[in-house]
Amino acid sequence: MTRIMAATNAAGLTLMYAALAGAQSPAAGGGVGASSLSVLAGVAQNERRDLTASPLAFAGRGIDLTVNYARAIGSFTLDAAVQGGARRLASSDADPSSSERLTEGQLHVALLRRIDGAAASAPGFSVGLALDGSGAFTAHDYGHAGRPISNFVLGSAAIGPAASWKQRIAGGAATIALAAPAVAVVAHSYSVINRPTMGAELRFVTPGLWRGAGGTVTYAPADDRATGLVYRYRFSLLRYDDVQPVRAVTQSVSVGFTMRFGARRS
Amino acid sequence: MRSLRAFAAALLLCAGCGGALLGPAPSDNYAALFDDVWRQFDLHYAQFDLRRVNWDSVGARYRPQALAARSDAELAAVLGRMLGELRDVHVSLTPFGPGSTIRYVARFDTAATNFSADVVFERYVVLSAFTNERHLQYGWATPTIGYIRIPSFSGAAWDGDADVALEALKGAESIIVDVRNNPGGNYTVAKSVAGRFADDSRTFGYLKLRNGPSRGDFTGYLPERVSPDGPRQFRGRVFVLANRRTVSAAENFVLAMRALPSVTVVGDTTAGASGGPIVRELPNGWTFQLSEWVEFDAERRTFEGVGLAPDVAVRATALDAKRRTDAVLERALGMAR
């Protein structure tokens, strides 16, 4: 997992540099703005091991909601998504009486540019920068008689390279988007937070400590359709090498409705 | 359409691989379990210095015994002995579910307090009633003196029961709040019940919480405040009854109450066991508990192992118990009249 994430980060940084260098020259093609708004609902699968709460891994499913706005201007695409959900997790390592309730949310904003300078809406490869903010609130029940449920938080804001690849498939368009954090500010509770004045301290962390990757695979109607159904697979991987490390994997499959505004053809 | 199907199949395959990225399940052999317990205490326990315990040498002494254990019961016994070295009642191990908790037994645990709630309600308090879930028992000691007994602060979010009792005791000029033999429980509830007697927001103590991996990593002095809570607050004189078995959250309650100008604490010194315990778990499902804070009074003196002295010291004797009298309550009643 470490190697995959490190490779993703390094490749992404190189591509990001190339894209920004490319942005110095005039963009070819496109030039007309087009926007889309999508609302998706689905099922997410979480698997996580947060040693702040437990040495055990916990896994479970729950709802996942996403609102996604994308705008193409010339060869640039601004992609913003808010997503969140709640899941009930049980231990996947052993069978203790403990369980977790996880509530998490994420804000993702990416600015991408076509590497060939073509219109953003056309099939092809884009790179750029992504800003990700995320928060996870875990209510851990140790199943210990007489003790309250213990709450933990993990919040982060990260910036790093992003890339996407778009291809026309079966009358629609499939887009694969990836992002990886390069630097992050992290708030990870050292211990339970439902104590008097106990909170999480903010830490600035580098890729050596905070490694991750996230992405989506989206299948949407062709660009000349004003509305239609959209399908999305989303994943995120996290490895935070804190004193009490965290590893988390989230995957979701969603379906929703998309509406397009403005120019729709490249 | 064929490529769309292949794409969907690839996604289904990906969905099954998440667990592998979390790494292997933690080992639950005896060495790993021992090391996990020792390490969790190393990371979180707040009172090594206070209790003058060298955790490294404790670990070195007990680890060979843990490795030599031939059964879960033997391992639990070794871990129990190791944790006993801390002489902390908030430290415990629960290996086999409810009823299997192993913890240090302190001197106050077995101290004779010569207190009986039955005597109180048989001889001194009339028209008594319980709140809905029996968190509080209350009644009238005289036509102008109300009495509230809080047997425990266990449970969550029942502080509103204090409003029920205070409503029933409306018109009282004084109230006696009895937390003798109260083993503690929920800190937040204790503080919130104290807020029913607060005239203003006041600092009653300080906490230092363990907040990092080094044994010296602590927050600064974090003030603990008691503030007016509930729909209304009792503003008459208040007498809090405490004894050697007033423990933990009940001591937080005494500490908060004695910061209020209308409150007099009567009885014996409390147990001297704060700690702010947190629960942890092991890969085999065992749970354990440890103290993550050191608490100080308003003058920043720790009372761990010392207790909180009363304003008016009265110690019930065996003769009181034999005669079925309550010297502590009688003294409070005498002061309230």
Side-chain angles (χ1 to χ4, degrees), chain A residues 19-101:
Chain A
L20 293 177
Q24 311 283 320
S25 59
V32 183
S35 313
S36 69
L37 181 67
S38 307
V39 179
L40 299 98
V43 180
Q45 162 88 13
N46 276 89
E47 285 149 289
R48 55 191 288 116
R49 189 193 306 278
D50 181 350
L51 265 67
T52 310
S54 173
L56 300 172
F58 285 79
R61 294 188 183 90
I63 55 162
D64 195 56
L65 300 171
T66 305
V67 177
N68 197 149
Y69 172 79
R71 182 172 176 80
I73 303 172
S75 58
F76 285 91
T77 303
L78 174 70
D79 189 51
V82 179
Q83 58 218 17
R87 358 250 182 240
R88 190 163 285 283
L89 313 180
S91 173
S92 52
D93 281 338
D95 187 27
S97 50
S98 57
S99 61
E100 286 187 346
R101 196 179 67 247

Side-chain angles (χ1 to χ4, degrees), chain B residues 147-167:
Chain B
Y147 173 91
I148 300 173
R149 167 152 174 74
I150 310 176
S152 165
F153 284 106
S154 289
W158 57 262
D159 44 298
D161 283 27
D163 302 322
V164 174
L166 289 177
E167 177 65 24

Side-chain angles (χ1 to χ4, degrees), chain A residues 111-155:
Chain A
L111 182 63
L112 299 160
R113 183 184 183 275
R114 284 293 300 261
I115 54 171
D116 58 3
S121 56
F125 193 63
S126 304
V127 294
L129 276 176
L131 176 68
D132 281 286
S134 68
F137 177 86
T138 307
H140 192 100
D141 183 354
Y142 292 98
H144 194 281
R147 301 303 309 170
I149 287 168
S150 301
N151 299 326
F152 304 88
V153 291
L154 174 62

Side-chain angles (χ1 to χ4, degrees), chain B residues 138-187:
Chain B
Y138 55 92
W140 292 93
T142 77
T144 59
I145 304 173
Y147 173 91
I148 300 173
R149 167 152 174 74
I150 310 176
S152 165
F153 284 106
S154 289
W158 57 262
D159 44 298
D161 283 27
D163 302 322
V164 174
L166 289 177
E167 177 65 24
L169 299 176
K170 200 158 68 176
E173 291 171 8
S174 305
I175 289 182
I176 293 168
V177 184
D178 195 343
V179 289
R180 287 177 293 176
N181 286 29
N182 181 322
N186 189 317
Y187 172 91

Side-chain angles (χ1 to χ4, degrees), chain B residues 10-336:
Chain B
L11 295 189
L12 282 173
L13 279 175
C14 287
C17 65
L21 298 174
L22 300 185
S27 172
D28 61 357
N29 66 44
Y30 289 173
L33 292 174
F34 178 90
D35 291 344
D36 200 354
V37 172
W38 187 91
R39 168 90 171 137
Q40 289 298 317
F41 272 80
D42 195 43
L43 287 175
H44 290 278
Y45 190 66
Q47 300 184 359
F48 290 124
D49 284 352
L50 190 68
R51 296 178 184 280
R52 300 174 200 281
V53 171
N54 183 329
W55 193 235
D56 293 319
S57 63
V58 168
R61 197 158 70 249
Y62 284 94
R63 194 172 193 277
Q65 296 179 38
L67 268 60
R70 286 166 299 180
S71 66
D72 286 0
E74 278 189 29
L75 176 68
V78 172
L79 290 172
R81 285 199 299 276
M82 178 176 80
L83 301 184
E85 297 271 352
L86 295 165
R87 302 181 307 282
D88 182 343
V89 296
H90 284 111
V91 166
S92 65
L93 174 75
T94 304
F96 311 117
S100 67
T101 299
I102 302 166
R103 81 157 171 88
Y104 171 72
V105 177
R107 198 182 302 165
F108 67 78
D109 277 311
T110 53
T113 58
N114 301 305
F115 164 73
S116 164
D118 291 343
V119 169
V120 170
F121 288 99
E122 281 168 20
R123 298 200 52 174
Y124 298 95
V125 176
V126 297
L127 301 173
S128 72
F130 285 99
T131 53
N132 268 348
E133 293 179 5
R134 302 176 78 91
H135 291 300
L136 303 179
Q137 190 175 6
Y138 55 92
W140 292 93
T142 77
T144 59
I145 304 173
Y147 173 91
I148 300 173
R149 167 152 174 74
I150 310 176
S152 165
F153 284 106
S154 289
W158 57 262
D159 44 298
D161 283 27
D163 302 322
V164 174
L166 289 177
E167 177 65 24
L169 299 176
K170 200 158 68 176
E173 291 171 8
S174 305
I175 289 182
I176 293 168
V177 184
D178 195 343
V179 289
R180 287 177 293 176
N181 286 29
N182 181 322
N186 189 317
Y187 172 91
T188 307
V189 170
K191 206 168 72 147
S192 189
V193 171
R196 267 65 183 183
F197 301 92
D199 60 328
D200 201 354
S201 184
R202 295 171 187 278
T203 298
F204 66 83
Y206 294 89
L207 296 171
K208 289 180 82 168
L209 285 88
R210 182 78 188 269
N211 68 347
S214 164
R215 290 173 201 161
D217 286 341
F218 283 93
T219 63
Y221 287 98
L222 304 172
E224 301 176 275
R225 297 185 73 79
V226 57
S227 303
D229 206 340
R232 66 165 177 271
Q233 295 76 44
F234 180 74
R235 292 293 167 78
R237 287 188 301 165
V238 181
F239 297 87
V240 174
L241 310 188
N243 65 11
R244 266 288 166 196
R245 287 163 77 177
T246 298
V247 188
S248 192
E251 294 182 273
N252 301 136
F253 177 78
V254 172
L255 194 61
M257 291 293 281
R258 72 181 200 174
L260 307 176
S262 58
V263 173
T264 304
V265 181
V266 182
D268 203 351
T269 300
T270 63
S274 183
I278 61 167
V279 181
R280 313 291 297 173
E281 67 188 342
L282 290 171
N284 64 350
W286 295 6
T287 59
F288 57 97
Q289 184 174 284
L290 58 90
S291 299
E292 207 186 30
W293 78 36
V294 181
E295 189 170 18
F296 302 83
D297 66 13
E299 285 74 44
R300 300 191 179 189
R301 294 172 306 210
T302 182
F303 56 92
E304 192 71 37
V306 178
L308 299 164
D311 299 312
V312 177
V314 183
R315 188 171 288 182
T317 64
L319 190 59
D320 294 326
K322 192 176 175 189
R323 288 177 177 164
R324 297 185 69 73
T325 59
D326 190 326
V328 178
L329 178 55
E330 285 181 10
R331 182 66 174 274
L333 285 170
M335 294 167 69

